[in-house]
Amino acid sequence: MGVLRMFLFILLSALVLCGCAQYSSDQCNWRGSGLTHESHARDVEQVYLRCAEGSLEWLYPTGAVIVNLRPNLPSVEGPLRACVKPRPDSRGARLYVEQAGVLRLLLSEQDQAAGRVRCFSLHEGVLFVEASARRDISRRIAAFQYQLTSTYTPGDRPHSHTAACRPCADEELLMAICTSDFVVRGRIHHVEEEDEDQASVVVSLSHVYRQKSRVFVSGGGRGHGRWTGRVKMPRRCGPQAGQGEFLFTGAVRFGEAWLGCAPLYKDFIRLYRAALAVGTNPCHIHTD
């Protein structure tokens, strides 16, 4: 019996040391454990993910994980951006953007607890996930989803005080109706403030020209249009109900609509018809 117990102990110890039972990964997702770093708390793991979206789950975080996002995507216009959404129970690590040894904080533990979404350009560097310095790492899991996109939205840079709410240039607006995940027409029904940075605008829509993932639904009920939904934007943009009819465009992040260009519809239709007359509109939508 003593020999059998000794054999089982050696076998279990080998599994922990080699990490055989601690890691699983594919092209899109990675799951690992800091227990393999227990005796080398400063170890850094290199992870390579090659999909447009996926997830990372790091149990008992110690040391650090460098996440290299290198998607096998067809050629796209503009630089790719990565957006990261932490899981509600994500704890025990901070997320940085790292380039040439310089770290820029992307998500603190407090930001993760609040469910903040943060984005960065892949040209800025790689994702660096660093475990917090704690003696007790039990019951801690650093976990998040990621998505890659070539579309810029104001939600991509919540730390910027100017880019998020600026008006779109004419060329940018005309291109937005071609490349955005959603293009819809309607009014702001009411505004719900979610936290100090972010607002959720409930919209009442008369037209849905294009949408991804069905973020807008038909049959809004009394007081609403033919479609309703929510669009997220920074609070500092000052959204208000009763400001007129807009053309809302933007990107879908983790099943939520984020605002991009949003001109008054009367201003958009004037610009669109002028471009249509001279043949400079990059794509076509049906108008009435």
Side-chain angles (χ1 to χ4, degrees):
M1 183 65 71
V3 174
L4 178 60
R5 286 179 179 174
M6 179 63 69
F7 172 77
L8 290 174
F9 175 80
I10 294 173
L11 177 61
L12 289 172
S13 299
L15 286 173
V16 170
L17 289 174
C18 76
C20 301
Q22 304 297 334
Y23 290 89
S24 66
S25 65
D26 54 34
Q27 294 290 301
C28 307
N29 310 291
W30 182 86
R31 187 175 189 268
S33 171
L35 291 179
T36 56
H37 293 170
E38 191 170 21
S39 60
H40 303 88
R42 297 193 179 189
D43 280 359
V44 177
E45 182 80 17
Q46 289 274 357
V47 173
Y48 295 87
L49 299 175
R50 303 184 183 278
C51 295
E53 58 184 84
S55 65
L56 181 143
E57 184 180 57
W58 191 20
L59 287 71
Y60 316 116
T62 61
V65 175
I66 295 176
V67 185
N68 299 272
L69 300 173
R70 297 179 178 175
N72 296 319
L73 294 176
S75 59
V76 293
E77 295 184 7
L80 278 173
R81 303 183 65 78
C83 292
V84 178
K85 181 179 182 179
R87 210 168 68 187
D89 62 345
S90 184
R91 301 288 187 278
R94 295 177 295 272
L95 277 64
Y96 297 86
V97 178
E98 186 270 333
Q99 188 171 59
V102 178
L103 298 178
R104 173 174 68 82
L105 183 64
L106 189 70
L107 280 164
S108 66
E109 288 195 71
Q110 292 75 17
D111 291 334
Q112 294 172 63
R116 304 280 171 78
V117 175
R118 292 291 187 262
C119 303
F120 65 97
S121 170
L122 295 190
H123 288 172
E124 297 178 63
V126 298
L127 191 60
F128 188 92
V129 187
E130 182 183 48
S132 304
R134 286 190 175 90
R135 290 180 179 272
D136 180 15
I137 61 173
S138 63
R139 294 176 300 194
R140 298 201 176 269
I141 302 174
F144 59 83
Q145 297 171 272
Y146 70 88
Q147 284 187 353
L148 301 181
T149 178
S150 60
T151 305
Y152 169 78
T153 68
D156 289 355
R157 293 197 176 192
H159 56 278
S160 170
H161 291 281
T162 56
C165 307
R166 64 173 178 79
C168 292
D170 291 352
E171 297 79 6
E172 187 179 6
L173 174 55
L174 290 172
M175 187 57 68
I177 67 173
C178 309
T179 60
S180 296
D181 291 340
F182 64 88
V183 181
V184 298
R185 172 183 169 187
R187 302 174 183 272
I188 297 175
H189 189 268
H190 67 275
V191 179
E192 298 176 356
E193 297 178 350
E194 298 186 351
D195 56 34
E196 68 274 12
D197 295 328
Q198 186 173 293
S200 183
V201 174
V202 178
V203 293
S204 171
L205 306 175
S206 60
H207 295 75
V208 173
Y209 301 106
R210 181 171 68 255
Q211 68 165 321
K212 176 182 177 181
S213 303
R214 294 189 59 81
V215 291
F216 303 101
V217 297
S218 60
R222 187 176 180 180
H224 290 269
R226 295 172 58 191
W227 290 271
T228 59
R230 294 174 180 271
V231 180
K232 292 184 178 293
M233 67 179 70
R235 276 183 58 183
R236 61 180 173 274
C237 294
Q240 297 178 11
Q243 292 180 316
E245 190 176 35
F246 292 86
L247 185 79
F248 299 102
T249 71
V252 176
R253 302 279 187 266
F254 309 105
E256 298 175 328
W258 280 87
L259 188 68
C261 297
L264 286 167
Y265 183 75
K266 62 182 180 64
D267 295 334
F268 160 74
I269 200 63
R270 187 184 306 117
L271 170 66
Y272 179 74
R273 286 173 178 166
L276 196 62
V278 296
T280 57
N281 56 305
C283 61
H284 180 75
I285 65 170
H286 294 286
T287 61
D288 52 16

